[in-house]
Amino acid sequence: MREEIEARFADWKEPAYRVTQLLDWLYRRGATSWDAMSNLPKPLRARLSEQFSLRGLDLVRLQGSRDTTQKFLWRLEDHSLIESVLIPANPALYGEASDRRTLCVSTQVGCAYGCRFCASGLEGWKRNLRPDEIVEQVLAVERWWKAESGESKSGARLIDNLVIMGMGEPLANYDNLMKALRILNAPWGGGIGARKITVSTSGLAPQIRKLADEPLQFRLAISLHGATDEVRNRIMPVNRKYPLKELVDACEYYRQKKGRMLTFEYILIAGVNDGLDQVKPLAQLARRLHAKINLIPYNIVEGLEWTRPDDVAQERFRSALEKQKIPVTLRREKGHDIDAACGQLRLRTERELAA
Ligand code: SAH
Ligand code: SF4
């Protein structure tokens, strides 16, 4: 964080402009070694290298799909694997301008919430990511892109939209997430506008209220996937802790504090939540919260029994919501052929490694 560096540099009697130089190396130019920071004096670089480490992420696997969605699998120092997904020219899914390059980042290794349909939850929760591990996903992808495209102009940025929808439950790693998002948002850091950052949660009601009280205006996506407690209880254990009423009250609070920035994610799973009986309660919730709905056909996870409804059933559900005058999109998600849903590439890689 800027304040931490400022305090340290003040201790060291370094002039203030050195802080700006260091931040520029770290966040704008994506330096990976202290030696590269050529405008910092050598003794300062030596001091920095003794006290801080410039840990990067190791790219273990990169998968690109035909439509150029790209999935990065990273290895951390403790050999944990995490994923980030780069989605170019995303249509405006969360109310942001379209034609943006979006990066989806992870916040935890694994996930403790165990939604029945999700690959990330399958092997449980391992640990929270530190703020630098969250930030570094953005920097590492930017670095990769600069190398790839020969785009070396300092200051040129690749990513202008962030979705916190990779592996893990972001709001369960609240403090580290906020620290990372403040860095990614800061003009001296990632420079990504708060309105271009969408946090997705499976429904941690108390943390949604906490997020509503933050000064920054992040967008919020709720992984709803069911409009009744009956459906949600069946596929999302978190709903037993925070049932729909509690979740909706927290969302209402969020909406009052933040205005219209809510999206419901609704994965269509055949025979589970795609019945037309769900349309009315879903429309009621959306209307009450002024939320828009993103329908996402379920991405099949190896080893799990769930499937996606066929195109006709998907379309039927979508148009029924539209008839209720609810803003709705049916996302033909771009990453389907590269396991883009969260946790799937990691799961597959871990299984291959184990085999
Ligand atoms: N834990 C947070 C954010 C990560 S999950 C959350 O649950 O919102 C990001 C999104 O991917 C969620 O909406 C989740 O429900 C969805 N998802 C998980 N597995 C999926 C699958 N197999 N197919 C489609 N979407 C999936
Ligand atoms: Fe965790 Fe989100 Fe997957 Fe549920 S959907 S298990 S909360 S990552």
Side-chain angles (χ1 to χ4, degrees), residues 108 110-122 165-170 200-204 223 225 235-238 267 342-343:
Q108 299 184 310
C111 183
Y113 286 82
C115 302
R116 304 274 182 253
F117 47 80
C118 174
S120 292
L122 268 184
M165 292 191 183
M167 193 191 309
E169 169 48 57
S200 174
T201 179
S202 58
L204 273 56
S223 294
H225 311 330
I235 51 179
M236 303 180 76
V238 67
I267 322 176
C342 71

Side-chain angles (χ1 to χ4, degrees), residues 70-125:
Q70 264 150 327
K71 186 146 192 172
F72 299 79
L73 188 72
W74 311 107
R75 188 188 294 111
L76 310 175
E77 308 115 81
D78 67 351
H79 299 287
S80 297
L81 298 174
I82 56 162
E83 315 172 351
S84 319
V85 184
L86 180 63
I87 312 156
N90 205 29
L93 288 175
Y94 302 98
E96 73 280 31
S98 59
D99 228 350
R100 299 285 181 184
R101 271 172 297 205
T102 300
L103 188 71
C104 170
V105 303
S106 295
T107 52
Q108 299 184 310
V109 182
C111 183
Y113 286 82
C115 302
R116 304 274 182 253
F117 47 80
C118 174
S120 292
L122 268 184
E123 283 169 21
W125 178 83

Side-chain angles (χ1 to χ4, degrees), residues 24 37 42 48 79 87 100 134 139 164 178 275 279 285 304 306:
D24 191 58
M37 304 182 181
K42 258 200 164 147
L48 284 166
H79 299 287
I87 312 156
R100 299 285 181 184
I134 299 173
L139 299 180
I164 318 299
M178 280 309 128
V279 169
L285 291 179
L304 296 181
W306 318 95

Side-chain angles (χ1 to χ4, degrees), residues 20 28 74 81 102 108 119 133 156 158 178 185 188 209 237 270-271 319 333 335 350 354:
T20 312
R28 198 118 311 158
W74 311 107
L81 298 174
T102 300
Q108 299 184 310
E133 291 170 324
L158 169 69
M178 280 309 128
N185 168 252
W188 49 261
R209 290 174 183 273
S319 67
E333 88 282 43
E350 289 202 330

Side-chain angles (χ1 to χ4, degrees), residues 5 22 52 56 70 87 123 139 141 164 202 235 239-240 248 258 334 337-338:
I5 297 174
L22 176 59
F52 299 98
Q70 264 150 327
I87 312 156
E123 283 169 21
L139 299 180
V141 170
I164 318 299
S202 58
I235 51 179
N239 197 67
R240 293 179 194 274
V248 170
K258 299 292 185 204
K334 296 186 161 196
D337 48 345
I338 57 156

